[in-house]
Amino acid sequence: MSTQEVTAQGQEPGSRTKSSSPRQIPVVGVVTKDEDAQGALKPMDLSCVIKLLEETDKPLRDLAQIFKILNLCAGKIENQPHFIESAYNILKLCSLPFLKKKVSDEITYAEDTAKSISLLGDLMKVPSSKLRIQICKCIVDFYHAEPPKKHITGYQQASSSFKIQMAEVGGLAKAMVQSLALLENQLVEKLWVLKALQHLSTSEVNCTLMMEAHAASGLCAHLNDPDPSGQLLFRSSEILWNLLEKSSKEEIIQQLSSLECLLALKEVFQNLFVSGFSHYDHQLRNDILVITTIIAQNPEAPMLECGFTRDLILFATFNEVKSQNPLVKDLKLSNSYEDFELKKLLFNIIVILCKDLPTVQLLIDGNVVLALFTYVKKPEKHKKVEWSAAQYEELQLHAIATLSSVAPLLIEEYMLCQGNARILAFLNWCESEDSFFIHGNSFHGTGGRGNKLAHMRYTLRLLRAMVSLEDETVNTDLCERGTIQQLIGIFKNTISKSNNKEEAIVLEIQSDILLISSGLCEHNIPRKEIFGTEGVDIILHILKTDPKKFQSGLGYNVLLFSTLDSIWCCILGCYPLEDYFLEKEGIFLLLDLLSLNQKKFCNLILGIMVEFCDNPKTTAHVNAWRGKKDQTAASLLIKLWRKEEKELGVKRDKHGKIMDAKKPLFTSFQEEQKIIPLPANCPTIAVMDVAENIRAKIYAVLGKLDFENLPGLCTEDFVTLCIIHRYLDFKIGEIWNEIYEEIKLESLRPVTTDKHILEAITAASENIGKMVASLQSEIIETQARQDVQNEQKVYAKIQASHKQRELAKKSWENFLARTSNAKTLKKAKRLQEKAIESSRYNERPPHAIFHQTVIKGLNTTVPSGQVVTLESTPARLIGGPLADTDVALKKLPIRGGALQRVKAVKTGGEPKKSIPT
């Protein structure tokens, strides 16, 4: 509101106000310290001015002046308490809607408005309960905007979020948090401040400001302050929730991880757990437990030191294990939703607490393993808590999942509880077909509706966690109880009862079965024999999976990794199983997988291949394999070598030849890394390179196959094979070169003999590189010459083909000429007869009988035989094919043969016609 408007509203209607300056404020004559201004201005009753201000909503352009008045009034309160009422009335103005004359007013007056609203936090320092409560009410009203009481011409209400945004810009939340320190023993005011902070904490900006003021630790430390209404605990927990969600979670957890805060949380939780009976108390109890769970994730939180961990373990297990502790002696849980959620939260926090190793003893003392194992059994009516079927199912799954984290830490307690027997019996129930109906409503029950897959899934996870410990006592007990046979049977059932809806869960179950089998059979031949051919059959079944499924994202990759691991642990080393695997074309399946060229599988498959090649029967299988386009195993391995070197950045020319004879195997990473002197027990870069890529394994496999007489290789393969053949020599030289360089870097001077030996080794390695490069060049040149010869042969064939075409064309042209021109035909006939005659033997033996082979009179130029069969015009019409030849005169006609040649005789004046006989 402007100065002129304030002055005008102080006069009676119809009167006019004269002012020497538009900036004169009549009320300043009462509150200002400027003596000159006091003399120049006319005194006026402050309450009258406030009453006039309250009659309308406040324009943004006047807000700064109103807050100046408020600030001046607040400064007078300490010496003149009667100003409290005036300041209180002005504060009530902040609850009224702000008006803007222009759309741009929110931007124009944003800075002034933010500064004005920030003064509310500073006014909390004024020692007046009435003012503090009103300030909090004003802040709460920011979030509950009301429409203007009446419309003022030329003005419109500012946006509902404008006050909230200005409070964020002005840093009001931080000032309100700091004001809590002034309200230690003033409960009513503190509750109002908490209510204001509860509204302010709905914004991420305000939560960040509150975090900077350490609001979390301040609120948590005073959770147990006396409060009959219960609002303090409720509002504080709500603010803590908002801080965790809308600001830096790590920073808030760090603030709440102090011993003082945890002691306060512990006391609050105990009181709510033991003494809380209402629905509201149970909800608040669970909220406190969730906040505690989040704090427990910080390993630096003194959960153990404050005794909170012991209490939480007690509360989690008292229902399953009898306890004489007075906290839980007469305590019972109901099947209400809040108590059900409490039970799940307690299971969850045990998983988090067990990550801290000092907690293990408390878990032993609290009989946690025994309490959790009470759920690992066939569902039945519970003796202590009447959980519903769906609730018990969810708790059962949650308990098994919790055991997966707790049991590996408490092996002795696990064995004392007959853990293996319980798990195997429960697995047997999971596999059975009874009428049990699974609801599958919970997180752990996902995919298990109407079946027992969820129970089997988490039970196998528990069993896998125990086997992975490699504890011989646990593993021996499992094998003696027939675990391997039982797992193979479960696997077969999952194959026969496959369901696409639960495919992901089934794949996880199968993966866990194979991993458990691997853990049990590794380094133990008798157990591998128990795994037997049935186990090999399920491995072969998985290896035959359609490769396209590996990209489906349903767990097939994990299953394949588990399968390869089981080949390594359950088959290799047991010769009968190796032979059976080979007989069933297992090596072919492995090479098929290798040909997919998926890097994540190559290393493991090649490792298996190296081990399998120790079996003398393997070589024949490897050499017999053929892939796409008749690719051989040797060609596939060499192709993988080239691809690996390309990815590693090894320098090769366009033909694959060695470019640097001194460093024939150096990768780009080795080039970038400088040689650094390392302790003797630390592997160098050259040594680490052997383990980090597949080149060493390819060398080993090809070495087992023998580098000579490898089938199906091209010239490029032979060039690469030269390098692979010398891989070990190159790697030894590379390591010796590193040693030599390290000696130089450490400024050590070897004795003369050692120096000569090092130089000789380095020179020998370089010579080998040069020799291999020379051999590669020879191979390439030989192939180039062969290519030239092959090219010449091809050109010769092309020329012969063209010549043949020309001869055929010329023959055809001659044929056309003979058939279309009688003179040409006669000429050709004469030439033919002459050629025949010239080819005969001139001197005839005496008394020799000469047989004429040429039929005279034929008008053909093609060779003719003695027997010619033609199907043409009937002989009775044209006289037969030899009617016009001399042969027709020498033979008698038989049933329409050739007509005889007759001379025509004139008789009776009529010419006689020859009649065919």
Side-chain angles (χ1 to χ4, degrees):
M1 178 178 292
S2 67
T3 305
Q4 293 176 353
E5 288 173 341
V6 173
T7 308
Q9 290 185 12
Q11 306 296 330
E12 294 182 359
S15 62
R16 299 180 64 183
T17 302
K18 295 182 180 180
S19 176
S20 58
S21 173
R23 289 294 179 185
Q24 292 176 347
I25 305 175
V27 75
V28 176
V30 181
V31 297
T32 186
K33 296 180 181 179
D34 190 347
E35 296 180 358
D36 295 336
Q38 289 180 357
L41 298 174
K42 176 182 178 182
M44 182 176 287
D45 186 6
L46 185 60
S47 60
C48 181
V49 174
I50 295 171
K51 184 176 180 181
L52 291 172
L53 291 173
E54 289 177 345
E55 291 180 357
T56 60
D57 299 323
K58 303 298 162 277
L60 291 175
R61 59 189 178 88
D62 297 329
L63 192 62
Q65 297 178 18
I66 293 173
F67 270 87
K68 285 182 181 179
I69 297 173
L70 176 60
N71 199 27
L72 291 171
C73 290
K76 292 285 185 177
I77 288 176
E78 186 176 358
N79 299 324
Q80 303 178 45
H82 59 272
F83 276 97
I84 292 176
E85 187 66 26
S86 301
Y88 173 79
N89 292 328
I90 296 175
L91 278 172
K92 292 172 66 176
L93 299 176
C94 295
S95 301
L96 298 175
F98 291 170
L99 300 180
K100 58 183 179 181
K101 194 168 186 180
K102 300 177 181 179
V103 176
S104 61
D105 280 358
E106 289 187 7
I107 300 174
T108 304
Y109 298 104
E111 185 178 354
D112 293 341
T113 306
K115 290 180 180 179
S116 301
I117 292 178
S118 67
L119 289 174
L120 295 176
D122 296 335
L123 292 175
M124 290 296 295
K125 299 176 183 178
V126 177
S128 170
S129 176
K130 186 176 182 180
L131 286 182
R132 288 170 175 171
I133 293 173
Q134 183 56 40
I135 290 170
C136 295
K137 288 181 178 179
C138 290
I139 296 172
V140 173
D141 287 340
F142 289 174
Y143 295 84
H144 304 283
E146 297 179 357
K149 296 179 181 179
K150 59 181 180 179
H151 179 71
I152 301 177
T153 305
Y155 289 92
Q156 57 181 333
Q157 184 178 358
S159 61
S160 58
S161 61
F162 180 68
K163 289 183 179 180
I164 299 173
Q165 292 174 357
M166 294 301 102
E168 294 174 356
V169 175
L172 179 60
K174 188 174 183 178
M176 295 301 293
V177 171
Q178 293 170 345
S179 68
L180 284 172
L182 308 173
L183 310 174
E184 291 289 340
N185 301 317
Q186 302 174 36
L187 180 60
V188 177
E189 298 171 22
K190 183 184 291 187
L191 292 178
W192 272 105
V193 172
L194 289 176
K195 185 176 182 180
L197 287 173
Q198 186 179 357
H199 284 79
L200 289 170
S201 64
T202 57
S203 161
E204 292 184 2
V205 176
N206 288 335
C207 283
T208 303
L209 293 171
M210 293 167 67
M211 177 191 70
E212 294 173 356
H214 298 278
S217 56
L219 293 172
C220 189
H222 294 86
L223 287 175
N224 286 316
D225 288 358
D227 176 27
S229 67
Q231 291 187 48
L232 187 145
L233 181 58
F234 166 72
R235 298 194 187 282
S236 297
S237 62
E238 183 71 20
I239 295 169
L240 289 176
W241 262 112
N242 291 337
L243 289 173
L244 286 168
E245 290 179 352
K246 301 181 184 300
S247 63
S248 173
K249 187 177 181 180
E250 293 75 15
E251 179 63 27
I252 298 299
I253 291 175
Q254 198 64 36
Q255 291 182 18
L256 295 175
S257 295
S258 64
L259 184 62
E260 183 182 10
C261 291
L262 288 173
L263 286 171
L265 284 170
K266 172 190 171 184
E267 186 176 348
V268 169
F269 184 73
Q270 279 184 357
N271 293 336
L272 292 171
F273 194 94
V274 177
S275 306
F277 295 100
S278 66
H279 177 74
Y280 165 78
D281 289 338
H282 289 170
Q283 284 185 329
L284 194 55
R285 172 199 64 190
N286 292 353
D287 289 344
I288 295 297
L289 182 55
V290 174
I291 294 173
T292 304
T293 303
I294 295 173
I295 299 172
Q297 295 175 2
N298 181 14
E300 298 178 0
M303 296 287 294
L304 194 65
E305 292 79 355
C306 69
F308 206 174
T309 299
R310 184 181 295 275
D311 289 348
L312 290 170
I313 293 173
L314 174 65
F315 294 145
T317 60
F318 82 95
N319 216 41
E320 293 77 23
V321 180
K322 292 182 180 180
S323 175
Q324 299 301 320
N325 192 300
L327 284 175
V328 296
K329 189 174 182 180
D330 299 321
L331 190 63
K332 291 184 179 180
L333 295 179
S334 66
N335 62 351
S336 66
Y337 177 77
E338 286 73 25
D339 284 349
F340 172 62
E341 288 294 317
L342 171 69
K343 194 69 178 176
K344 293 194 296 180
L345 289 171
L346 288 170
F347 283 164
N348 186 55
I349 201 170
I350 285 177
V351 174
I352 295 173
L353 293 173
C354 73
K355 296 177 181 178
D356 187 16
L357 292 181
T359 308
V360 172
Q361 187 58 45
L362 294 180
L363 296 174
I364 296 172
D365 298 340
N367 293 318
V368 173
V369 173
L370 179 60
L372 293 172
F373 262 121
T374 59
Y375 291 91
V376 187
K377 61 183 180 181
K378 180 180 179 179
E380 58 185 11
K381 191 173 182 180
H382 209 269
K383 297 179 180 178
K384 295 184 179 180
V385 180
E386 295 294 336
W387 301 111
S388 67
Q391 287 176 334
Y392 183 77
E393 173 201 329
E394 189 168 350
L395 289 177
Q396 186 179 45
L397 292 170
H398 208 145
I400 297 172
T402 305
L403 267 173
S404 300
S405 300
V406 176
L409 301 173
L410 309 171
I411 297 177
E412 293 184 8
E413 285 66 29
Y414 172 85
M415 295 303 294
L416 288 174
C417 295
Q418 297 292 316
N420 288 337
R422 290 175 185 248
I423 291 173
L424 295 177
F426 191 70
L427 271 178
N428 192 39
W429 170 80
C430 292
E431 195 180 3
S432 64
E433 298 182 1
D434 56 13
S435 58
F436 181 74
F437 179 76
I438 304 296
H439 293 78
N441 296 323
S442 64
F443 167 78
H444 295 93
T446 303
R449 187 172 184 82
N451 55 55
K452 302 171 189 173
L453 289 177
H455 290 75
M456 184 181 292
R457 175 191 197 180
Y458 283 96
T459 307
L460 287 171
R461 281 188 186 180
L462 171 58
L463 192 58
R464 187 189 70 191
M466 297 308 300
V467 171
S468 64
L469 297 174
E470 299 182 0
D471 186 271
E472 193 57 31
T473 304
V474 175
N475 291 354
T476 302
D477 184 59
L478 283 170
C479 292
E480 290 175 353
R481 295 180 184 278
T483 304
I484 296 175
Q485 299 94 319
Q486 185 175 352
L487 292 175
I488 292 174
I490 293 173
F491 197 103
K492 288 183 176 180
N493 288 338
T494 59
I495 294 174
S496 61
K497 300 177 182 178
S498 59
N499 188 345
N500 292 332
K501 292 182 180 179
E502 288 85 26
E503 187 177 12
I505 297 178
V506 171
L507 290 174
E508 183 180 343
I509 289 172
Q510 293 175 343
S511 300
D512 286 341
I513 289 174
L514 292 174
L515 289 173
I516 294 167
S517 301
S518 300
L520 293 174
C521 296
E522 190 174 12
H523 309 308
N524 194 304
I525 301 299
R527 294 177 189 172
K528 294 181 180 181
E529 293 174 351
I530 295 173
F531 186 75
T533 56
E534 290 185 357
V536 176
D537 287 336
I538 64 176
I539 289 174
L540 293 169
H541 173 79
I542 298 170
L543 291 178
K544 293 176 182 177
T545 303
D546 184 1
K548 294 180 180 178
K549 291 185 177 180
F550 296 139
Q551 310 297 332
S552 63
L554 290 175
Y556 279 99
N557 284 337
V558 178
L559 179 61
L560 183 56
F561 275 118
S562 304
T563 304
L564 295 174
D565 185 59
S566 62
I567 293 174
W568 196 294
C569 299
C570 302
I571 298 178
L572 287 172
C574 182
Y575 295 120
L577 295 187
E578 286 185 8
D579 292 344
Y580 184 77
F581 185 82
L582 292 172
E583 290 172 7
K584 295 295 183 178
E585 300 181 349
I587 288 294
F588 288 0
L589 297 174
L590 286 176
L591 288 169
D592 288 339
L593 283 175
L594 192 62
S595 65
L596 296 177
N597 207 6
Q598 295 192 15
K599 189 174 180 62
K600 51 191 173 184
F601 300 133
C602 287
N603 209 337
L604 192 53
I605 295 173
L606 286 170
I608 294 171
M609 293 284 296
V610 172
E611 296 296 326
F612 253 113
C613 285
D614 288 337
N615 190 322
K617 298 179 181 179
T618 304
T619 304
H621 287 264
V622 174
N623 287 329
W625 177 84
R626 292 294 181 271
K628 293 181 178 179
K629 298 181 180 179
D630 205 31
Q631 185 182 33
T632 62
S635 176
L636 172 62
L637 293 172
I638 295 172
K639 180 181 178 183
L640 290 174
W641 176 286
R642 284 198 296 267
K643 180 185 176 186
E644 185 75 6
E645 287 198 331
K646 184 177 181 181
E647 292 176 355
L648 294 173
V650 180
K651 292 181 179 179
R652 299 281 184 263
D653 66 4
K654 62 180 181 179
H655 299 294
K657 286 174 51 181
I658 294 174
M659 294 181 66
D660 188 352
K662 291 183 178 180
K663 302 175 182 178
L665 299 178
F666 255 46
T667 64
S668 59
F669 176 77
Q670 289 176 282
E671 292 283 356
E672 294 171 2
Q673 296 294 322
K674 296 181 180 179
I675 296 177
I676 303 173
L678 296 172
N681 59 346
C682 293
T684 62
I685 297 176
V687 176
M688 290 299 296
D689 175 73
V690 176
E692 290 177 351
N693 57 69
I694 63 175
R695 291 190 293 180
K697 293 183 177 64
I698 293 174
Y699 166 77
V701 175
L702 290 174
K704 299 281 186 178
L705 297 176
D706 191 1
F707 289 102
E708 303 294 334
N709 301 321
L710 294 175
L713 301 185
C714 62
T715 302
E716 187 180 11
D717 293 337
F718 280 113
V719 171
T720 306
L721 187 62
C722 294
I723 301 173
I724 300 174
H725 193 192
R726 290 292 187 170
Y727 173 77
L728 187 59
D729 296 329
F730 290 149
K731 184 55 67 174
I732 291 172
E734 189 177 308
I735 293 171
W736 276 110
N737 185 62
E738 279 190 345
I739 295 171
Y740 196 20
E741 293 297 327
E742 287 184 15
I743 291 174
K744 290 181 180 179
L745 289 173
E746 292 179 353
S747 300
L748 297 176
R749 184 178 179 184
V751 296
T752 306
T753 306
D754 291 344
K755 183 177 180 181
H756 289 333
I757 292 172
L758 285 173
E759 291 174 351
I761 292 172
T762 305
S765 176
E766 184 177 353
N767 290 335
I768 292 173
K770 292 178 180 178
M771 180 185 69
V772 172
S774 175
L775 180 59
Q776 288 177 319
S777 299
E778 184 179 346
I779 292 172
I780 293 170
E781 290 172 3
T782 303
Q783 182 60 38
R785 288 194 296 270
Q786 184 65 39
D787 290 342
V788 171
Q789 292 176 3
N790 293 338
E791 187 177 356
Q792 289 175 349
K793 289 180 180 179
V794 171
Y795 280 123
K797 288 181 180 180
I798 293 172
Q799 289 175 351
S801 176
H802 281 290
K803 186 174 182 180
Q804 188 65 28
R805 288 177 185 175
E806 290 176 0
L807 291 174
K809 182 180 178 182
K810 187 175 181 181
S811 175
W812 176 251
E813 290 175 351
N814 291 335
F815 175 75
L816 289 179
R818 294 196 304 271
T819 56
S820 59
N821 191 327
K823 292 181 179 180
T824 304
L825 179 61
K826 289 178 181 180
K827 182 179 180 181
K829 181 64 176 177
R830 285 194 301 271
L831 291 173
Q832 185 183 43
E833 290 174 351
K834 184 177 180 181
I836 292 172
E837 187 65 29
S838 62
S839 65
R840 287 176 178 166
Y841 187 66
N842 295 327
E843 297 181 1
R844 299 177 183 176
H847 310 293
I849 300 173
F850 177 74
H851 297 279
Q852 187 68 28
T853 59
V854 178
I855 302 175
K856 294 182 178 181
L858 287 178
N859 295 325
T860 63
T861 57
V862 295
S864 57
Q866 291 185 349
V867 179
V868 178
T869 303
L870 296 175
E871 292 185 5
S872 184
T873 308
R876 60 186 178 83
L877 298 179
I878 62 174
L882 302 178
D884 295 334
T885 65
D886 295 336
V887 178
L889 303 177
K890 296 178 180 180
K891 292 185 179 181
L892 295 175
I894 300 175
R895 308 187 79 178
L899 295 176
Q900 295 182 4
R901 187 173 293 176
V902 211
K903 293 183 179 180
V905 181
K906 295 183 180 180
T907 57
E910 290 182 4
K912 290 186 178 181
K913 297 181 180 179
S914 61
I915 301 172
T917 57

